[in-house]
Amino acid sequence: MASMLTTNGGPMITAGNVDLNNCDREQIQFSGAVQPHGALLVLSERDLLVLQASANCPALLGTPAIDRLLGQPIEHALGQSQAGELRDRLQREAAGLGNGPVHVLRAALPGGVFDTFAHRVEGGLIIEFEVVAAPAAPLLDLYSDLRSTIARLQATHGLQAFFALACDQTRRFTGYERVMAYKFLEDGSGDVTAESLAEGLQPYLGMRFPATDIPAPARRLFALSWLRHLPDTNYQPVALLPEQAAGGPLDQSRGLLRSVSVMYTSYLKNMGARGTMVMPLMKDGALWGLISCMNHSAPLHVAYEPRMAAEFLAHMLSLLMAAKEDTETYEYKLRIGATLEHLTRAMAAQSIFHDGLTKGDTTVLRFVDATGAAVATADGVVLLGRTPGEAQVRQLIGWLGKSQTENPVFATDSLTALYPAAAEFEDTAAGVLAARLVPHRDDYVLWFRSEIEQTVHWAGNPDKPMEVLEVDGEIRLTPRGSFALYKQSVTGRSAPWREMEIEAAASLRRAVLEVILRQAEALETANRELSRSNVELDSFAFVASHDLKEPLRGITNYATFLMRSHGEQLDEDGREKLRTVLRLTSRMDDLIESLLHYSRVGRVDMALAVNDLEVILDEALMTLAPRIQETGAQIRRPRHLPWIRCDRVRVRELFANLISNALKYSDAAADRWVEIGWEDSFETPVFYVRDNGIGIDAAQHQRIFQIFRRLHPRDAYGGGSGAGLTIVQRVAERHGGRVWVESAPGEGATFRFTLASDDKAS
Ligand code: ADP
């Protein structure tokens, strides 16, 4: 074959030089040959001179030898009468000839009767003569069948049923043993979504074919013509003579008889197909899928009329299917909407919102099509369906939180490509859709999709020995060989997330935020009420204690007066009772004083300023100096205290209370010590007062902070009102901090406190 060049200067790839490395670029429209169930003539359009003819014209049509045809008018080939009819028809149909083959004639020639088709290409008219085959069904039935089929197709519900019916009907019209509806996915591979089968054949339904099974050039041509018919996969191509006419190879893009690529026939043969027909399914001008027919037991030449019926059906399918697919998407959207509503209601009904997402029959897992889901909040991680382990999910969230900060919703069908650690669990989570609920927090809802390989059945049975097409040690374009190739390309990949699913995740996120917001509002209202009642309590304590002071002072005064002026008139018993009255009133005065003090801590505004805590501690220790001396305790200050924003007087009191307790509650005669220090912490410094005293039982750790709660008799360990720690707690809390104790009996006690909020430690 003469070497031809493409526009970019490389050699043109055609049937003559195609191999496994270049078949993706094979110019299959320039096959230079036809299939043997017909013959072809190329005519000049103006005067219908024969420019090119398939080598089988004399044998099949009964024309004179090729060299006596070339350059001669069409009459030489077809005889006067048939040529005259053809001329008439061509003239009448001239306007439509540019759109592909038009049936112009059923020609009775010396070789037999032929359906004759004409279409225009650059440089002339292609006239194709096709042997008339016997139709599978009577023609009259065909029309009414077609009509009722279309009515039934319209009535089907869902794409699945739609295609199942379409396959059944196509098989009836054409007589093929297998008819499949094949849908292309975004990566170019295709699923068999419906199938109609003769008995005893192995079904391909539900299988996926790799993208390489239908190379790019074939796809281009599929989109150009509505039907590709190959009656016999074992055919011998018939050459066109001469090889080129009118300045170049003949473009048979739309031709009915075009000889197909050897790659294609090899592939079909490996599938066990002896005859095939393929019709494209188009949506919005793009190739959406195929109706693919196969005959396994024998070659099958389908007659023109049923082929027309099948082609018409494919047209209708394309139109109806677009609408059906939109309906399906619409239904999916409805389902998402209903689930969202349900989840929102469930979240609002639960005190912890994420229970609404993870408990009950309808969980986030049902929200979009996913194999697993996870909800992660401060309260923990809940896993649903097939997911990676909890630790892996936490790590993934850590990565998402750091790297995917642009958008609150993140989606990928190939997680390992971005996050290599995902290789460990790509069988369960090759694809991830993630919605971050709150900015800067690791609260997420995640959906997982398994690896494609795990979810589909592959065409090509690896255990079945088959004819393998091998060139230069490379195996390709056999179901098994291309399967292996495809397997490589989908490893670690899930089905892609659809735009509407990503939008749905964003909607769920908004719904969660709203619920959180509403719950926060409710909490704030409750808090406000609580703090109002706290204020009321404080003022009650203040008023009560303030008003009690007066009468108490009266009692004390009168008792003192009685003791002094009339003490002698009483006997010893009487005097003792009077002394008890005095002791009790003094005690009561202490209690009232503490209560008053406590209520003041809550009521009076804080005087916040940045203070040197070291100085405040000095002052507190100064007020305690007599006590320290008395006990002989050693005061340890391992580290300078920092500067901090606080209320100086209150914090001094806080230190004084803690240190005085530390001095008090000890049995040791010697070696007593109190240590005051602090530790750096991520959020805010943690201060402590530690002693080596008697310690506190864990059961009491909470109770000691309650007002007037004492663990010892009043007079033991130097006594106290039981309000000290309550005041300490109040001071810490008014600074936004808190106080807690670590202690065990006999092991001393460590009281820690903060003077600002420390979320982490809570
Ligand atoms: P009190 O005025 O009785 O000291 P507090 O509110 O200061 O009241 O303390 C409550 C109780 O907690 C005390 O009665 C004591 O039993 C216990 N307690 C407080 N500090 C210590 C400590 N450093 N070691 C052991 N027990 C302590």
Side-chain angles (χ1 to χ4, degrees):
M1 174 171 223
S3 138
M4 292 172 271
L5 294 183
T6 57
T7 45
N8 62 16
M12 185 184 275
I13 312 297
T14 63
N17 61 347
V18 64
D19 61 32
L20 288 166
N21 296 315
N22 60 20
C23 70
D24 244 23
R25 288 178 290 128
E26 182 185 355
Q27 307 261 349
I28 50 185
Q29 69 273 40
F30 300 122
S31 63
V34 294
Q35 297 175 47
H37 65 287
L40 179 149
L41 291 174
V42 181
L43 307 178
S44 65
E45 186 161 8
R46 208 161 43 94
D47 35 22
L48 302 192
L49 300 180
V50 177
L51 304 177
Q52 225 176 345
S54 61
N56 61 350
C57 281
L60 194 69
L61 308 180
T63 66
I66 303 290
D67 50 358
R68 290 175 45 206
L69 286 181
L70 295 175
Q72 301 301 318
I74 182 69
E75 280 72 11
H76 271 67
L78 306 184
Q80 286 299 335
S81 112
Q82 294 294 305
E85 241 180 274
L86 181 65
R87 277 185 190 272
D88 282 355
R89 277 304 298 262
L90 288 179
Q91 233 160 28
R92 261 184 286 144
E93 300 285 347
L97 294 180
N99 303 327
V102 176
H103 188 262
V104 284
L105 194 64
R106 183 158 273 193
L109 300 175
V113 181
F114 296 90
D115 278 315
T116 309
F117 305 86
H119 73 285
R120 185 179 296 121
V121 291
E122 219 180 283
L125 293 177
I126 294 182
I127 315 294
E128 292 170 292
F129 301 89
E130 188 186 325
V131 174
V132 172
L139 297 185
L140 260 181
D141 288 0
L142 211 57
Y143 172 69
S144 57
D145 261 10
L146 198 57
R147 217 173 45 175
S148 77
T149 300
I150 288 165
R152 282 169 65 200
L153 279 173
Q154 268 170 324
T156 53
H157 192 76
L159 278 185
Q160 195 62 47
F162 177 78
F163 282 120
L165 178 63
C167 288
D168 276 344
Q169 294 304 310
T170 308
R171 196 155 83 82
R172 252 165 58 97
F173 295 147
T174 58
Y176 278 102
E177 290 160 349
R178 180 195 302 277
V179 177
M180 299 182 275
Y182 186 85
K183 176 185 174 174
F184 291 119
L185 307 179
E186 275 169 47
D187 62 1
S189 66
D191 273 341
V192 177
T193 57
E195 184 176 46
S196 179
L197 268 188
E199 237 169 82
L201 285 180
Q202 183 208 342
Y204 290 165
L205 183 65
M207 287 195 172
R208 178 162 300 178
F209 287 82
T212 45
D213 277 10
I214 303 177
R219 270 168 218 246
R220 270 198 307 279
L221 287 195
F222 277 137
L224 268 184
S225 70
W226 277 100
L227 189 133
R228 285 270 146 222
H229 185 28
L230 184 63
D232 184 357
T233 52
N234 260 322
Y235 77 94
Q236 284 300 315
V238 181
L240 298 181
L241 301 171
E243 208 171 86
Q244 293 188 45
L250 184 66
D251 181 352
Q252 293 191 73
S253 297
R254 295 172 189 271
L256 298 171
L257 295 175
R258 179 177 59 85
S259 178
V260 298
S261 168
V262 60
M263 299 294 152
Y264 183 44
T265 45
S266 309
Y267 176 72
L268 288 171
K269 281 188 240 168
N270 279 329
M271 299 267 291
R274 298 190 56 191
T276 72
M277 189 165 90
V278 178
M279 291 162 285
L281 296 172
M282 310 290 290
K283 188 184 179 193
D284 302 328
L287 188 63
W288 181 94
L290 300 171
I291 297 285
S292 172
C293 312
M294 287 185 182
N295 220 50
H296 295 282
S297 61
L300 180 65
H301 182 187
V302 180
Y304 168 62
E305 290 85 359
R307 237 160 59 205
M308 287 291 289
E311 183 180 326
F312 182 70
L313 194 60
H315 272 279
M316 286 311 293
L317 279 182
S318 289
L319 292 174
L320 293 176
M321 167 200 74
K324 289 271 177 207
E325 198 183 36
D326 290 346
T327 312
E328 248 183 24
T329 304
Y330 178 68
E331 278 169 4
Y332 185 26
K333 272 189 186 158
L334 281 187
R335 197 189 93 199
I336 288 177
T339 315
L340 180 63
E341 219 179 282
H342 180 99
L343 291 175
T344 310
R345 248 182 287 124
M347 278 188 289
Q350 300 279 357
S351 55
I352 303 173
F353 78 87
H354 74 209
D355 283 351
L357 297 176
T358 56
K359 294 194 171 150
D361 291 340
T362 306
T363 65
V364 274
L365 180 57
R366 295 236 341 241
F367 186 54
V368 290
D369 292 336
T371 40
V375 177
T377 61
D379 295 308
V381 176
V382 181
L383 303 175
L384 303 161
R386 280 190 76 202
T387 65
E390 186 178 327
Q392 290 167 325
V393 170
R394 281 183 195 278
Q395 272 164 18
L396 170 64
I397 286 174
W399 173 79
L400 282 170
K402 277 195 214 83
S403 61
Q404 304 302 323
T405 47
E406 294 279 292
N407 280 314
V409 177
F410 162 83
T412 176
D413 59 1
S414 177
L415 184 61
T416 15
L418 303 167
Y419 174 59
E424 269 178 46
F425 51 80
E426 69 188 3
D427 52 334
T428 49
V432 169
L433 173 63
R436 186 177 215 167
L437 301 178
V438 188
H440 312 302
R441 275 192 35 192
D442 284 349
D443 291 0
Y444 279 91
V445 178
L446 305 169
W447 292 270
F448 303 110
R449 270 185 186 163
S450 312
E451 197 175 10
I452 288 180
E453 244 188 83
Q454 314 274 326
T455 55
V456 294
H457 304 286
W458 290 96
N461 178 355
D463 304 325
K464 202 166 117 191
M466 62 173 79
E467 188 189 332
V468 169
L469 192 67
E470 192 177 329
V471 171
D472 295 339
E474 203 185 339
I475 298 168
R476 258 185 93 182
L477 285 176
T478 65
R480 190 172 161 192
S482 53
F483 165 67
L485 276 185
Y486 187 56
K487 230 174 119 154
Q488 282 166 17
S489 77
V490 298
T491 298
R493 222 171 239 290
S494 75
W497 300 97
R498 297 165 69 175
E499 199 52 47
M500 56 177 280
E501 292 170 325
I502 295 170
E503 278 165 23
S507 314
L508 180 74
R509 175 180 173 270
R510 281 192 294 274
V512 171
L513 277 184
E514 248 167 59
V515 170
I516 294 180
L517 208 67
R518 244 180 282 143
Q519 288 185 346
E521 271 169 14
L523 197 67
E524 204 190 293
T525 314
N527 268 342
R528 237 181 287 129
E529 272 163 21
L530 200 65
S531 64
R532 198 172 56 231
S533 57
N534 264 344
V535 169
E536 278 162 11
L537 194 67
D538 280 349
S539 40
F540 169 76
F542 182 74
V543 171
S545 47
H546 191 265
D547 292 0
L548 284 175
K549 279 256 186 222
E550 201 46 43
L552 192 64
R553 203 162 21 241
I555 296 173
T556 315
N557 288 346
Y558 277 99
T560 314
F561 172 75
L562 254 182
M563 192 65 163
R564 253 193 240 136
S565 331
H566 305 283
E568 264 124 61
Q569 286 153 11
L570 292 171
D571 58 7
E572 188 46 36
D573 190 35
R575 273 197 299 279
E576 185 47 39
K577 288 202 168 103
L578 204 53
R579 268 189 230 109
T580 307
V581 169
L582 273 171
R583 248 199 332 274
L584 285 175
T585 48
S586 148
R587 168 96 187 117
M588 193 157 172
D589 190 51
D590 276 356
L591 289 176
I592 289 173
E593 194 55 43
S594 308
L595 191 60
L596 203 55
H597 199 112
Y598 169 76
S599 72
R600 267 200 214 109
V601 176
R603 284 161 59 80
V604 178
D605 283 343
M606 303 267 285
L608 289 176
V610 177
N611 285 298
D612 185 353
L613 270 192
E614 192 69 9
V615 173
I616 297 182
L617 177 60
D618 283 341
E619 292 168 356
L621 287 172
M622 213 128 72
T623 62
L624 294 168
R627 233 351 184 324
I628 295 169
Q629 232 174 6
E630 198 180 299
T631 56
Q634 181 198 10
I635 303 295
R636 300 178 175 173
R637 297 167 71 172
R639 190 178 169 200
H640 261 255
L641 297 183
W643 287 72
I644 197 164
R645 192 175 158 77
C646 65
D647 181 313
R648 184 186 185 109
V649 178
R650 299 223 153 70
V651 172
R652 187 203 303 145
E653 190 174 6
L654 182 156
F655 272 124
N657 275 325
L658 289 181
I659 297 167
S660 104
N661 279 350
L663 292 169
K664 264 198 291 188
Y665 297 105
S666 173
D667 290 327
D671 277 347
R672 292 169 71 163
W673 54 260
V674 179
E675 180 174 313
I676 304 106
W678 66 290
E679 287 142 12
D680 270 320
S681 132
F682 189 64
E683 304 292 326
T684 182
V686 176
F687 305 97
Y688 66 86
V689 175
R690 179 175 296 146
D691 62 55
N692 60 347
I694 58 170
I696 307 161
D697 191 283
Q700 309 293 341
H701 285 185
Q702 300 287 329
R703 298 176 65 211
I704 51 174
F705 292 100
Q706 293 168 6
I707 193 160
F708 303 141
R709 175 75 68 181
R710 315 190 68 257
L711 301 184
H712 308 97
R714 180 162 50 83
D715 297 326
Y717 299 104
S721 67
L725 286 180
T726 318
I727 290 172
V728 166
Q729 188 175 46
R730 205 136 209 227
V731 171
E733 280 172 0
R734 287 217 65 190
H735 281 84
R738 59 195 188 100
V739 57
W740 65 103
V741 65
E742 283 151 23
S743 177
E747 291 180 10
T750 303
F751 284 84
R752 291 179 198 276
F753 64 95
T754 55
L755 292 174
S757 112
D758 63 331
D759 273 349
K760 272 274 156 63
S762 59

